[in-house]
Amino acid sequence: MTKPMFAEIILPLPLNTTFTYEIPSDMESQLQVGSRVLVQFGRKKFYTGIVDSIHPNRPGYEVKPLMAMLDPRPVVRYPQMKLWKWISEYYLCSVGEVYKAAVPTGLKPESETFVTLNPDFEADSDTHFTERQALVLQLLERENRLTISDIANATGIANAAGTVSQLLLPGVVEIDEKVVEKYRPKKQTFVVLDAERGDNEKLHSFFDKITRARQQENALVSYLDKSGWMQKAVPLRDVTRAEMLEVPGVTPGVLKALVDKGIFRMERRVINRFNSVTEDAEIGLVPLSDAQRTAKDEIRKLFRDKDIVLLHGLTGSGKTEIYNHLIAAALKDGTQVLYLVPEISLTTQLTDRLRHAFGNRLIVYHSKFTDNERVDIWKRLLSGNEPLVVLGARSSVFLPFARLGLVIVDEEHEASFKQYDPAPRYNARDVATVLASMHGAKVLLGSATPSIETFYKAKTGKYGLATLYERFEGAQLPEVEIVDMKEQRKKKINRGSLSRPLMQEMREAFGEGLQGIVFQNRRGFAPMVICRTCGWTPKCENCDVSLVYHKKINLLKCHYCGYTRLLPNVCPACEGTDIETYGYGTERIAEEVQDVFRDSRVSRMDLDTTRNKDAFQEIIENFSAHKSDILVGTQMVTKGLDFEKVKVVGVINADTLLNFPDFRSDERAFNMLEQVAGRAGRRNGNRGRVIIQTTRPDDPVLEFVKEHDYLGFYEHEIGERERYFYPPFSKVIGIFLKNKDSRMADRAATILTTKLREIFGNRVLGPEKPFVSRVALWYIQSIILKVEAGASMRKVKQLLRQCHESVAGLPEMKSTMIYYDVDPV
């Protein structure tokens, strides 16, 4: 009898361990590390797990067998699993949480609750159902078996789970678990000629059968032409049924007749949603300027000694073209390239430029894709090691690269590379550098305003540093004007959100046939609603924030949890009717801009207008094609977008960016203002103009922006960081506690802080309530841990876990959720 084997399985759960399962004898020869398996977890739950290791060591408790092996080969490569473990260790989370974030949902079948009628239930004279219960029962009689979400969608009942629970108690309905495979492969029907290629005798017999059927003959001739059946020097091309139906005169009836005569047969096949690479994909690169060529040569020289190089280039200097030439060289070497951008909007604008350069060697990957599309991209990368370039947002770092040769992180300073919720709370820029090191690949970081930590590493020699301080085609950096809005309002020069200098500059630009961008980092119509009689302000029922008014949908909305309510006509506190909206969101500014510039076309780009997959592309393409004159937007408009005819950029309220209670607030403000300023005057022959409106015109950050002085800002900021022991001179870990009872949250934070100070001493700051101290009914407390920059994260994690375990049994801690944010941004 052979000795049983066991597998350690990673499950998509926030638990700091793998789980041991016995391998059935019929799976032993096929199962590999990285394979997907289906396992039972608990009494009724089923999950897709990933095999982490295989061993003969039986644990000291009863183990369940693996239920099924879902693939004949691994779906995760070895470097990926190695990366998962690094992320888990560095970002203080479980490998299961990394797995859940990394792998598309379609590759993780899970159990889902289904509801069915109980065939044994018999109603009596005392049985009565409410209207909602009756609605659910009627639906189940028709459909037999549905999930709770299906019931909610079909009936419109908001709390469908509650209604089902009411029917469960008397046994009217039952629930069961069924594993749901979320991935749906794409299938196409192909037309196939029922003869071997070169069998001309059989082909003649086919024509003999249809001599009097002109449309059938036309269909056969069209197939031979499309497939290249007669051209022996070229590979036979597959022809779809849809292609055949596009031929004039070819109808479904014509194809059916040809099938019935044994000439054609129809084959239904699973296909990948994305084309594979063709050998003759052309590379169309734009020639580099002298300055760009010098920067590219410097980068290649630095790559000889450094694995990571920073390209510090001005906005509009043409960093993208340098990237393209480096990508072309990597593809020529037969390696793969990961091109990371911080926002989906940037993938939209870059796709056409990269497609022109690299044809179908380009793959785009981000969260707006459907899950089926993401699975197909995953499978394409898993199935080969073809040279290609992947353009994507932060989740692209998890793809199964085989031969990664180059990683490019554009706008490396951007906070959008950081994942906030849920875990893992990783920074894609930093994960990408670790991923590259595991593949032996080079990393190029690019930015006009590098993060303080990155520039420090470049200045101290840890990274290579290449510079590009000349704008493309000799364009000048825009002129920046700081407008004192307090002074403007005091003199009653303007009453709305647009200052007189901004309106004047925009009128001049429109008169020259040029465009403008208006930036306000708040969406919605008005961020504040107040009753002028009693001061009542509508607050979110779940969060400690005021509701924002959205005029288009006429709703007050919470931007943290999504709670909504109607804007009341009468104040609920004093029953007065004097309710006013205050402040400016992008919706209100777009309305005001349209009112001021009546003949201009205004578009808006924020989270509300870009919810569907193609919205980014439509807005950006329309603005690029000058189908709109003014683009009003949130921070989405600041990040690397390239518009040829933008002359004027207006920042409505710089105060919303300045002086937050956070050591990174000045850095964020400078980066965002300098980046949005960089959208102006890129290639139109005229120097751009930037109008920054503020009530604090003497703020030193604004002076650095006015002079486009990144180096001066860096020297000022690095001095402050060193003085107060902040990154890059330390490593910061945010420790957050959440409880639905505010007193419990306070007490738990005090207990944990006391315990942490016993270990880490004065490296521990807090506890304190964050800026928003209640979100989605959870009260939040935060603790900051500052450790030395070279500290071992493995050791820190071990100490934090010991600390947590030592207080976990206390009543305050049992109901408290604790999570960590390493390197918060």
Side-chain angles (χ1 to χ4, degrees), residues 202-251:
K202 192 169 186 181
L203 182 61
H204 285 306
S205 71
F206 288 165
F207 276 107
D208 290 341
K209 290 182 181 180
I210 54 175
T211 49
R212 296 184 181 180
R214 185 173 298 172
Q215 289 176 333
Q216 293 176 31
E217 188 176 51
N218 176 44
L220 179 54
V221 170
S222 296
Y223 171 84
L224 294 172
D225 179 54
K226 287 179 179 293
S227 66
W229 200 88
M230 303 294 292
Q231 303 166 34
K232 295 180 181 179
V234 298
L236 193 65
R237 182 180 173 276
D238 292 332
V239 181
T240 66
R241 181 175 182 271
E243 285 180 275
M244 289 298 298
L245 291 175
E246 290 175 358
V247 176
V250 177
T251 64

Side-chain angles (χ1 to χ4, degrees), residues 63-175:
V63 295
K64 296 173 183 173
L66 298 175
M67 296 186 66
M69 185 172 65
L70 300 179
D71 303 284
R73 53 176 291 185
V75 297
V76 181
R77 297 183 190 271
Y78 170 73
Q80 286 177 281
M81 296 184 70
K82 190 177 174 185
L83 182 69
W84 291 3
K85 290 172 184 177
W86 179 87
I87 292 171
S88 166
E89 183 174 292
Y90 186 83
Y91 290 104
L92 305 174
C93 62
S94 71
V95 178
E97 288 170 309
V98 183
Y99 161 41
K100 187 170 184 178
V103 177
T105 307
L107 292 175
K108 301 191 297 282
E110 295 181 5
S111 35
E112 194 169 326
T113 301
F114 278 80
V115 182
T116 59
L117 290 173
N118 180 0
D120 298 325
F121 178 78
E122 294 182 5
D124 54 35
S125 57
D126 295 327
T127 304
H128 299 286
F129 297 115
T130 66
E131 184 179 344
R132 288 184 173 187
Q133 291 170 346
L135 202 60
V136 170
L137 293 174
Q138 289 170 12
L139 181 65
L140 288 171
E141 283 175 358
R142 291 198 309 271
E143 303 293 337
N144 187 34
R145 193 168 187 271
L146 293 169
T147 65
I148 291 175
S149 57
D150 289 337
I151 292 171
N153 292 334
T155 61
I157 298 173
N159 185 20
T163 304
V164 170
S165 297
Q166 293 164 5
L167 293 167
L168 273 171
L169 290 174
V172 183
V173 298
E174 297 177 324
I175 62 170

Side-chain angles (χ1 to χ4, degrees), residues 466-499:
T467 58
L468 184 59
Y469 292 159
E470 181 182 307
R471 271 193 145 189
F472 188 65
E473 294 181 344
Q476 291 180 285
L477 284 169
E479 185 180 351
V480 178
E481 180 180 348
I482 310 296
V483 176
D484 186 348
M485 293 302 285
K486 250 193 318 193
E487 192 68 20
Q488 290 259 314
R489 292 187 181 113
K490 188 177 178 181
K491 293 180 179 178
K492 298 183 179 178
I493 295 174
N494 75 297
R495 294 182 180 178
S497 68
L498 307 179
S499 64

Side-chain angles (χ1 to χ4, degrees), residues 397-610:
V397 297
F398 295 119
L399 286 168
F401 295 98
R403 296 184 63 198
L404 192 62
L406 175 66
V407 173
I408 294 170
V409 185
D410 194 21
E411 310 295 348
E412 66 81 29
H413 64 277
E414 274 293 344
S416 301
F417 281 125
K418 176 75 171 178
Q419 162 75 14
Y420 291 98
D421 276 311
R425 295 172 178 84
Y426 66 99
N427 189 312
R429 175 199 63 199
D430 300 335
V431 171
T433 62
V434 175
L435 173 71
S437 71
M438 291 176 175
H439 283 267
K442 300 295 184 181
V443 179
L444 179 63
L445 308 174
S447 177
T449 56
S451 70
I452 297 298
E453 289 97 317
T454 297
F455 202 70
Y456 177 79
K457 289 173 183 175
K459 293 282 281 184
T460 55
K462 185 175 182 180
Y463 294 171
L465 176 61
T467 58
L468 184 59
Y469 292 159
E470 181 182 307
R471 271 193 145 189
F472 188 65
E473 294 181 344
Q476 291 180 285
L477 284 169
E479 185 180 351
V480 178
E481 180 180 348
I482 310 296
V483 176
D484 186 348
M485 293 302 285
K486 250 193 318 193
E487 192 68 20
Q488 290 259 314
R489 292 187 181 113
K490 188 177 178 181
K491 293 180 179 178
K492 298 183 179 178
I493 295 174
N494 75 297
R495 294 182 180 178
S497 68
L498 307 179
S499 64
R500 182 171 292 180
L502 178 56
M503 289 189 284
Q504 184 178 332
E505 289 292 342
M506 295 191 93
R507 283 196 181 95
E508 288 181 13
F510 300 152
E512 297 169 14
L514 301 174
Q515 296 168 291
I517 289 176
V518 177
F519 166 62
Q520 169 72 332
N521 205 26
R522 282 181 175 170
R523 62 188 174 96
F525 185 82
M528 185 69 72
V529 176
I530 299 176
C531 171
R532 294 180 62 182
T533 304
C534 71
W536 171 83
T537 298
K539 295 285 186 74
C540 176
E541 290 188 359
N542 308 318
C543 309
D544 187 22
V545 292
S546 301
L547 297 175
V548 177
Y549 179 53
H550 289 249
K551 186 176 180 181
K552 186 177 181 180
I553 56 176
N554 194 33
L555 284 175
L556 294 165
K557 192 170 184 179
C558 173
H559 288 175
Y560 284 83
C561 73
Y563 169 81
T564 59
R565 62 170 291 179
L566 288 169
L567 177 68
N569 295 318
V570 176
C571 173
C574 70
E575 298 187 354
T577 57
D578 198 5
I579 295 176
E580 291 286 339
T581 58
Y582 291 92
Y584 291 87
T586 47
E587 187 181 5
R588 186 174 202 162
I589 290 166
E591 188 177 284
E592 184 180 324
V593 167
Q594 187 67 78
D595 190 52
V596 172
F597 304 102
R598 293 184 182 276
D599 296 330
S600 299
R601 298 156 297 177
V602 180
S603 57
R604 177 162 60 97
M605 187 161 74
D606 55 30
L607 191 61
D608 297 326
T609 62
T610 56

